[in-house]
Amino acid sequence: MLIFDPLTILLIALLALVIDRLFGEFLNRTHPVVFIGKLISQFEKWFYLDSRLRGGLLVIWVLTLCGLASFTLVYLLNAMANSLHPALALLLSGLFASTLLAHRMLYDSVNALQNHSHPQQAVAMLVSRDTADLSHSDCYKAGIESYAENLSDGLVAPLFYLLLFGLPGLVIYKAINTLDSMVGYRTPRYERFGKIAARLDDLANWIPARLTAGLILLLGRQAAAKTVWQQARGHDSPNAGYPISAMAWVIKAQLGGPTRYFGELKAKPYFGPAQASREIDLKHLQAALALRNRIDGSLLLVISMIGIISYAFY
């Protein structure tokens, strides 16, 4: 069975990483997340009700359909491996998995802030906070925070669930993440309707967020794990504070602080060394983005080593 073979899953993960690094997002209207988003939008259009129960039904609806679709895909790939050629099935599996990784797209989007004459426009594509009146420093800060947080959501977490549960695990995770990104807001419309989706996303990202923070600290050669863990608990999210705090220590700046969402100023703690600057400039943005090669390289190395060790005992 293609999907349940540990060595094959490792090869799929390696292929997905390489394809994402080289090509990034190459699907638009046919992207799997677009279809997941349509499922969510259609349910909301016809069955929205300001209740947790209705939001729970949304979660069940989306995860059931995505689960069925992913296992159907696995069945077809297995059939292809048996009837045509295993290498073709492996390549298609890697291509599909790569569409659910987002490191190249994330890097390119944040990197665009460096040369954009109006960074407020560029950062508006990355964050949910109000961006129209942000200073250049605030835009760079928002970009760095988005890069750190989405390293977990867009790279580490998808790989984590791919390696644990194969393609179905990857698809189900992205469905949970998409649910949270569309309805998991604390607004009058979604406070109750999106509650279960938001809590499920918190649960799914609990381990990956902490792994991401550890990876950032390790590759940034920072030994501030204890302080990072203490600061991260001050964030409203049970997960986002960990990679953001880790990144703040690596780039030697203070991230976080009061932020405006949907017209309302929200008090948020600062993350990073106490004496570090709160004025974020290009060198801080560049320092954060400089981790990209080390992150991709380390993940490729770790997965390859796991594969070699597994092959030796397989």
Side-chain angles (χ1 to χ4, degrees):
M1 293 291 287
L2 176 68
I3 196 58
F4 296 118
D5 178 1
L7 288 176
T8 303
I9 292 173
L10 288 167
L11 287 173
I12 292 171
L14 286 172
L15 270 173
L17 273 170
V18 171
I19 293 169
D20 179 67
R21 172 70 188 224
L22 293 177
F23 303 107
E25 297 293 330
F26 53 87
L27 298 176
N28 292 314
R29 294 182 181 180
T30 57
H31 195 286
V33 172
V34 173
F35 287 112
I36 297 171
K38 288 180 178 178
L39 290 177
I40 298 168
S41 296
Q42 287 302 312
F43 186 98
E44 184 179 356
K45 178 181 178 180
W46 294 106
F47 301 108
Y48 172 82
L49 193 66
D50 184 22
S51 76
R52 293 187 183 184
L53 175 60
R54 196 60 61 91
L57 291 176
L58 166 66
V59 171
I60 293 171
W61 160 258
V62 171
L63 296 190
T64 298
L65 290 182
C66 288
L68 289 172
S70 63
F71 279 105
T72 300
L73 174 64
V74 168
Y75 175 81
L76 293 174
L77 289 168
N78 284 332
M80 180 180 295
N82 293 326
S83 62
L84 295 176
H85 199 288
L88 177 60
L90 179 65
L91 176 60
L92 290 176
S93 299
L95 281 168
F96 177 78
S98 75
T99 67
L100 299 178
L101 302 182
H103 194 191
R104 170 68 180 266
M105 181 181 69
L106 174 63
Y107 175 87
D108 288 346
S109 298
V110 177
N111 188 49
L113 292 174
Q114 291 197 64
N115 302 312
H116 205 292
S117 57
H118 298 287
Q120 296 84 357
Q121 297 174 3
V123 83
M125 305 297 293
L126 293 168
V127 298
S128 59
R129 69 190 68 182
D130 298 342
T131 60
D133 298 323
L134 293 183
S135 66
H136 278 51
S137 173
D138 288 333
C139 288
Y140 297 148
K141 179 171 69 173
I144 293 169
E145 290 177 6
S146 180
Y147 185 62
E149 183 177 354
N150 285 290
L151 279 173
S152 176
D153 293 0
L155 179 63
V156 175
L159 278 176
F160 179 76
Y161 287 104
L162 171 61
L163 292 172
L164 280 182
F165 304 113
L167 290 178
L170 173 60
V171 172
I172 292 297
Y173 170 76
K174 291 304 292 187
I176 292 171
N177 194 236
T178 306
L179 278 161
D180 179 67
S181 69
M182 291 183 67
V183 303
Y185 296 103
R186 302 195 68 175
T187 62
R189 179 174 178 85
Y190 294 125
E191 174 66 32
R192 293 169 61 82
F193 183 73
K195 180 68 71 176
I196 292 176
R199 291 293 174 262
L200 187 59
D201 184 74
D202 289 342
L203 180 62
N205 284 297
W206 198 92
I207 293 175
R210 287 151 181 80
L211 289 175
T212 304
L215 182 65
I216 291 171
L217 289 172
L218 178 65
L219 298 178
R221 301 178 181 88
Q222 265 291 338
K226 184 177 180 180
T227 307
V228 165
W229 257 241
Q230 290 172 343
Q231 290 185 345
R233 295 189 189 104
H235 200 288
D236 279 351
S237 165
N239 299 315
Y242 289 87
I244 290 173
S245 181
M247 186 66 78
W249 279 86
V250 167
I251 67 172
K252 298 177 175 60
Q254 288 198 32
L255 301 176
T259 307
R260 190 172 295 278
Y261 295 91
F262 307 108
E264 182 177 335
L265 189 64
K266 187 173 184 179
K268 293 172 64 177
Y270 284 97
F271 305 98
Q275 304 304 318
S277 173
R278 293 181 180 177
E279 189 70 17
I280 309 300
D281 56 29
L282 270 177
K283 72 181 180 189
H284 296 117
L285 180 65
Q286 291 165 351
L289 293 174
L291 288 174
R292 179 205 189 189
N293 290 338
R294 281 175 269 174
I295 290 170
D296 283 347
S298 64
L299 290 174
L300 285 168
L301 178 62
V302 168
I303 294 173
S304 298
M305 291 303 297
I306 294 173
I308 291 170
I309 294 170
S310 299
Y311 182 77
F313 294 97
Y314 190 66

